[in-house]
Amino acid sequence: MKNTIKNIQNNIIKYIGIGIISGLTLINTTKAQNNTTQNNTKQHKPPTEIIQEGDNIIIPEHKLNEFMKNYKPKTNNTKKIQKTTLEEYIKDGYITDALTTQPIQGIETKLVTYNPFPTDTIGPVQTNSEGYYTFTITGIKDQKETKNIGTIKYINGTAKITVNNYKKIKITTYDIQGKEITRTTEKEINGTETINLKLPIGETITKIEIDNKTYTNIHINDGKNHYVKKGKTQEQITETTTKTIEKTTEQLLIAREFQDPNNQYHNYKDRDVEPYAENISKDFTLIPRIQLENPITDPEYPIIPNINTIRDLLWYGARVEGEWQNLQHGKTQYPIKIYIDSSNAPTGGITSARNIIQYFQDSLNIHPDSLIQETPINIEPNFNNGISAMKIIWTDSTQTYGYNSVLTYIYSSSHSTMIGAKIYIDTNKVTTTENIEKYIALNIQRYITELVNPINNQNYLQYTTAGNRIGPTKRPNNDEKKLIKIGRNHKPYYINGLRP
């Protein structure tokens, strides 16, 4: 991420005019009346690259997908998880419908462990009538550990065996060709015992088995002396056990997978792995399988050339390029409070902006206070505000690089959350109230859904791009309304975790 430090400072704008509207004293000024404000508008120049201002990251719309693809939230993956005994860990959460927020029953949930690649699958369990699922996992099984529990010493044709507890001992002698000669002993011992190997003249192979672990040497008896020709004169007796020991979150992680046996919702494979040895509750929303009213065919997007469902539209609007793109949807704070900057506002611009805000409040079956409000105060975006602070700014071609409108997202790096945005409308190019409404509606939709790529179908508001192409519609269609609701209701997810 290009981290160029810039300061975008906004002057305090004084409202002047006649009549009180929504608690403000306003006048819809013309460009001629605002020639003196040109120096001010130069400070509203939208960035072309991703920049950082303190905790906030400012992301131009054309850089959003790049940012979400490469951004790594701040985590402490080296924190030690002290677990020396078997304990229980709870993995639970709720599954709801991304469109209605209603709980979904009967979704099969699996847990997949990674170390660092997939190692095991736990489950599935099913969600209950409240959409709740839970796993109780006992312990962390670590790598095997080998201990020394005794010794074998070969002394002049004998084997002195010492063990720390009762062990089964079996000793067999073979000739050099591997043919069994004699079974010297088969017994259980504890402590130390010296056993005569009864070695014949010549070379022989001695095999000692202790709890099914084998120790083999080649011995020579020359009639006078016994000695080891090949092997050790003293060997450690070992025992392998599985031990639960201290782990790090990097060593063992876990992810969730959701599958709907009834096929009414898209299956989902979470890419956001979490520490195994922590009690972490996670809620998810699943995308219902909804056919588009306006399906799209785009030969230039071969990943999904036939865009037929809401899930396809999510992929298409984000231009996910493959299975491992791992493009993440970020969290967004609600409600969105929009401040309409009156400086350099074109005739009818403020009324047009209010029309769009009112439309979003009235037409999406979402309670107005939970989505969009107008505010008379210019609020600087900050996570602690508990809202998304959006601002509509009127500017000109020299500030928007020739685009009709520009959207910049504002992201809290400490909280991995969208906390605001700025909409720049070029008053030299967007000259009618109808087109003003189109671009404001489009940019509000983009902020909520976080989809920035155009949709190549003129039935969609998002056919209108930030460039020179403008579509025939100024309101989202029914497909886009569903996208807005899903964007409002979803828990964070990776788009390519949604199965076809």
Side-chain angles (χ1 to χ4, degrees):
M1 179 179 67
K2 187 173 182 178
N3 189 20
T4 306
I5 304 301
K6 291 185 180 180
N7 291 323
I8 301 179
Q9 299 175 334
N10 296 323
N11 289 348
I12 299 173
I13 305 300
K14 295 183 179 180
Y15 282 90
I16 56 174
I18 304 172
I20 297 176
I21 305 175
S22 299
L24 291 177
T25 306
L26 296 174
I27 183 170
N28 290 342
T29 55
T30 65
K31 292 181 203 174
Q33 293 170 308
N34 282 278
N35 290 333
T36 58
T37 67
Q38 293 302 313
N39 290 332
N40 272 347
T41 61
K42 292 183 185 299
Q43 297 183 23
H44 294 314
K45 187 174 183 179
T48 57
E49 298 293 333
I50 300 169
I51 62 175
Q52 183 128 14
E53 291 185 351
D55 180 58
N56 294 344
I57 300 173
I58 301 175
I59 312 163
E61 59 180 326
H62 66 284
K63 292 283 186 177
L64 179 64
N65 287 356
E66 172 190 328
F67 174 78
M68 285 300 183
K69 174 184 174 182
N70 298 318
Y71 179 72
K72 302 295 182 185
K74 295 179 181 179
T75 57
N76 184 9
N77 283 338
T78 59
K79 181 180 66 174
K80 296 289 184 180
I81 308 296
Q82 302 289 343
K83 302 292 180 185
T84 56
T85 59
L86 294 177
E87 297 185 18
E88 289 186 347
Y89 310 101
I90 305 299
K91 304 289 184 183
D92 65 347
Y94 290 89
I95 307 297
T96 54
D97 185 305
L99 191 60
T100 67
T101 71
Q102 295 299 309
I104 311 173
Q105 185 175 3
I107 299 297
E108 291 184 353
T109 305
K110 298 177 183 178
L111 299 181
V112 180
T113 57
Y114 292 80
N115 190 18
F117 301 104
T119 57
D120 196 12
T121 300
I122 306 169
V125 301
Q126 287 196 340
T127 55
N128 64 15
S129 60
E130 296 179 343
Y132 177 70
Y133 67 91
T134 183
F135 288 85
T136 302
I137 312 168
T138 302
I140 306 173
K141 288 190 176 180
D142 198 354
Q143 73 271 13
K144 293 179 179 179
E145 183 178 42
T146 300
K147 292 182 177 180
N148 294 328
I149 61 170
T151 58
I152 302 172
K153 295 181 181 180
Y154 298 103
I155 306 171
N156 198 27
T158 66
K160 183 180 179 181
I161 302 175
T162 301
V163 292
N164 63 358
N165 51 43
Y166 282 98
K167 298 293 179 184
K168 289 182 179 181
I169 305 296
K170 180 180 177 181
I171 302 177
T172 308
T173 304
Y174 302 85
D175 65 20
I176 201 64
Q177 303 299 322
K179 181 180 178 181
E180 183 176 325
I181 300 174
T182 182
R183 185 167 300 176
T184 304
T185 186
E186 189 170 355
K187 62 189 299 186
E188 188 172 67
I189 68 171
N190 184 20
T192 300
E193 188 166 334
T194 300
I195 300 171
N196 189 339
L197 298 177
K198 301 176 184 179
L199 299 175
I201 300 296
E203 292 188 19
T204 52
I205 301 171
T206 299
K207 182 173 75 172
I208 299 177
E209 297 173 78
I210 303 175
D211 280 355
N212 297 317
K213 190 173 180 66
T214 300
Y215 306 85
T216 303
N217 279 2
I218 297 177
H219 295 261
I220 292 180
N221 178 3
D222 62 7
K224 295 181 181 180
N225 299 299
H226 298 78
Y227 58 91
V228 175
K229 179 181 179 181
K230 188 174 182 180
K232 299 177 180 178
T233 57
Q234 179 173 320
E235 289 196 69
Q236 295 291 331
I237 301 172
T238 61
E239 182 178 69
T240 301
T241 59
T242 299
K243 182 183 178 184
T244 301
I245 63 171
E246 179 182 283
K247 304 293 294 184
T248 70
T249 57
E250 288 182 321
Q251 288 176 309
L252 193 58
L253 301 169
I254 201 161
R256 292 164 166 82
E257 294 183 3
F258 304 104
Q259 183 170 357
D260 177 15
N262 299 318
N263 213 34
Q264 295 179 355
Y265 292 86
H266 290 280
N267 301 334
Y268 181 65
K269 293 185 178 181
D270 185 26
R271 302 291 186 206
D272 187 15
V273 292
E274 64 199 45
Y276 182 102
E278 285 187 3
N279 293 332
I280 294 180
S281 179
K282 278 199 171 183
D283 300 345
F284 286 85
T285 53
L286 292 188
I287 307 297
R289 294 182 184 273
I290 300 174
Q291 293 295 312
L292 297 179
E293 294 183 19
N294 300 280
I296 302 160
T297 301
D298 189 347
E300 295 182 0
Y301 186 61
I303 303 297
I304 312 176
N306 299 311
I307 297 97
N308 296 318
T309 68
I310 288 291
R311 178 263 182 189
D312 296 345
L313 195 59
L314 282 166
W315 275 56
Y316 181 64
R319 295 299 194 271
V320 176
E321 294 302 328
E323 175 70 13
W324 300 108
Q325 186 80 353
N326 286 349
L327 185 69
Q328 185 186 33
H329 258 222
K331 294 179 290 185
T332 301
Q333 287 191 322
Y334 292 95
I336 300 169
K337 292 195 174 182
I338 300 180
Y339 171 74
I340 306 171
D341 188 348
S342 66
S343 63
N344 204 37
T347 301
I350 293 175
T351 300
S352 297
R354 288 189 172 134
N355 287 342
I356 293 300
I357 293 171
Q358 191 66 47
Y359 172 80
F360 274 90
Q361 288 181 344
D362 293 343
S363 66
L364 296 174
N365 297 321
I366 299 175
H367 190 277
D369 289 342
S370 71
L371 188 63
I372 294 178
Q373 305 168 14
E374 182 188 348
T375 175
I377 303 170
N378 181 16
I379 303 170
E380 290 301 316
N382 186 298
F383 177 82
N384 295 322
N385 291 340
I387 63 168
S388 281
M390 186 177 283
K391 186 176 182 180
I392 297 173
I393 300 169
W394 316 100
T395 182
D396 59 40
S397 299
T398 63
Q399 305 301 308
T400 57
Y401 314 103
Y403 292 110
N404 298 337
S405 72
V406 174
L407 174 68
T408 60
Y409 299 81
I410 301 171
Y411 187 81
S412 170
S413 60
S414 294
H415 301 89
S416 300
T417 301
M418 294 292 178
I419 58 172
K422 292 182 180 179
I423 299 172
Y424 300 84
I425 302 294
D426 187 340
T427 55
N428 284 330
K429 293 187 176 182
V430 184
T431 56
T432 67
T433 55
E434 180 179 359
N435 286 348
I436 289 172
E437 292 188 18
K438 284 183 181 181
Y439 281 112
I440 292 176
L442 169 65
N443 287 313
I444 291 174
Q445 175 173 303
R446 280 177 171 160
Y447 179 72
I448 297 172
T449 64
E450 297 175 23
L451 303 180
V452 299
N453 289 293
I455 293 174
N456 292 322
N457 183 314
Q458 293 195 30
N459 292 311
Y460 288 83
L461 172 67
Q462 202 154 320
Y463 179 82
T464 307
T465 69
N468 295 319
R469 187 181 73 184
I470 191 164
T473 181
K474 66 177 180 180
R475 300 288 187 269
N477 65 22
N478 288 335
D479 295 334
E480 291 173 292
K481 288 179 183 179
K482 293 182 179 73
L483 273 180
I484 292 168
K485 287 184 182 180
I486 288 170
R488 168 65 181 92
N489 296 330
H490 81 77
K491 308 299 190 298
Y493 56 80
Y494 289 105
I495 292 180
N496 73 333
L498 298 173
R499 303 296 94 186

